[in-house]
Amino acid sequence: MKVKETAIPGNHNLMPDDRTGKSALSRVDGRLKVTGKAKYSAEYNVKDLVYGVMVGSSVTKGTIKSIDTKKAENAPGVLSVLTYLNAPKIPGYQADNPSPKGPLKIFYNNQVYFNGQPIALVVADTFERALFASTLVTATYDTEAHQTNLLTNLDKGVSTRREDKDFVKGQANAWQSAPVKVDAEYIIPTEVHNPMELHAIIARWDAGDKVSVYTKTQGVKSSQRSIAQAFKLPPDNVQVTAPFVGGAFGSALRTWPHEIAAVLASKVVGKPVKLVLSRADMFTSVGYRPFTWQKVSLGAGADGKLTGITHEATGQSSVYEDFTEGVVNISQLMYACPNINTRYRLVSLNVNTPTPMRGPGEATGAFALESAMDELSYALNIDPIELRMRNYAETDPSNNKPYSSKFLAEAYKIGAEKIGWTERSQKPGTILQNGWHIGYGMAAGMFGAHRSSSTVTAKMQADGTLVLQTAVTDIGPGTGTAMASVATGVMDIPADKIKIVLGDSSLPPSPTQGGSQIAATVGSAVHDACTELKEKFKSMAGNTDPADYIKILKQQGLDHLEVTTTSKSGPEQGKYSMYSWSVHFMRVLVHPATGVVKIDKAISVADAGQILSPKTARSQMIGGTIMGIGMALMEEAVIDHRYGRLVNNNFADYHVPVQADIPQVEAYFVNKADNILNPIGAKGMGEIATIGVAAAVANAVYNATGKRVRELPITPDKLL
Ligand code: MOS
């Protein structure tokens, strides 16, 4: 296969942007962020601010028998201690349909579903006083036997929704009769998003029925809807502001009980309330990637062609709410195979509800499928890339639809060259240098290339500044920068003449930032709004250069010209399968005596369509690779099942990669436009940056040592 490499150099300050022919934009809000001028939710100076601290349940299952709040109420500076006994009823809770399952209702009754569940909120005039008083709240409980261990409850797995129904294409379990087989179980532990910025909210009632919040959220419009629903307010009475978000990875996709508690407390005390979760709270209050058991069985002929794929998974959720994710979906779609069957089950445990975490479902599923493919490559003695090419899907194996675009083969080629794949030995454990085993591994990823509806206002001002407004949040990937990059291309004006206004619920609507859809969705709306604005200028230009916006405005006696455009997907959605693709390559060093694994080099290559903003895209891709390395080697939230309580809910014991753990990571893009998906040719990349990384590391560790680790994280004890 011969392809022209159009990858963007991995580490280069003067990246070209082939859309504009100019050098790539730097992050438009980078200066604000590094100088501390960007304000995050906890940082607003609101007059008369008071502070809330949550108190969590110390038992894992049961009912509250009594809560003693007297000492806390009498402590200095305390304004209120809210519990289920005294908190005003939240009107939206009462109106909810009485279905037994649903989001956790705070201060609703005496039921305890998990350890750390909020049972009280202390509000005081300073944070320190609230924190001190929170230690004075005591409760007694009637406890019941709890279950927090998925592995001892696998037999309780149930199918929860129609979407979870078993998938069968061709014959089920066809792998069993294949000449070459792999049949293995894989486990991932609970992982917690742990963005650097703690979840925080400042809530203030402006009038009897109007509330303003600064809150950490991935979607100001969805936060507005949720808070309005809870307090039975018209949505316009709820103002949500979140122009900067310090990472989220899925943890801020929904409105959590602590946010409702802060809004409620502000009403009770008649003052604005600030509530910042502690790092320990972050482990029990804002979701996580759930502990998941999987079994993948592959059958192939001696030619390496897959004849059967079977993928089973069992995940966990809370007892009060079903959280499901597409763990097995990747096996329905990734490889051309006549016989595929998958099954997904859920076990309810006494834990808080999980929530999507970067690459939800697929990051978990890809660890199992792509590890199993690696195992099959050794069973067949076929190079792992060659094995994937022999089973390359040219159309979607699950429904035979054509792809809107798929350049995964090109990504394999780029990645193999950049990692130096020819240096790899097909026989594991054979390369030893300076006392370290060296291994090479690779694994692929995919995620739906979504596009939904976005409304953007594009306004040209008399001074030549273009203002772009929409109610999207930028949680870090560089949404504003991509918007500016699209706009400079259409309007042909320099980026420093563009002002991006985001993260405010009063702006024109855009979706929540999640599911890798924002660049394609909002980018397309920016494209369409700017194109329309430019047409308007053209029609007014007369003898003037239509790109001389200032002159035209002056001629027409206008102080600005603006358009508001809604842009969304169309009939192409039903006709094509639309995915982004990635491949990750790792070179690892494994120390034979200590079992220490070091990543020596990491290469990630994406087919994410047309890259809109090369610098921020590269940064996002590298971030996703690092997150996957954490998943592979370090991250694990550990519960002591005797007590149902987390034992490592802090950054000393819950390990995430630090600078010294991460080598040179290079990101490359095939960078070919998907002209079917949207007018700018972009596909998402937030999820594919992480999906497949953990398997690539595990596969490299096997290549280095001959030891197959099927349970993450790959800690030294598992290699000795
Ligand atoms: Mo996400 S898990 O796309 O916020």
Side-chain angles (χ1 to χ4, degrees), residues 193 218 248-253 355-360 447 475 513-516 686-687:
H193 308 70
Q218 290 174 238
F249 314 116
S251 67
L253 281 171
T355 214
M357 178 164 160
R358 200 174 199 169
F447 198 83
I475 63 173
Q513 182 156 82
S516 299
E687 327 290 332

Side-chain angles (χ1 to χ4, degrees), residues 408-428:
L408 181 59
E410 288 79 349
Y412 287 160
K413 191 169 180 287
I414 294 166
E417 186 199 314
K418 298 293 176 188
I419 198 77
W421 192 250
T422 51
E423 303 296 311
R424 171 186 175 273
S425 166
Q426 175 72 12
K427 197 163 157 10

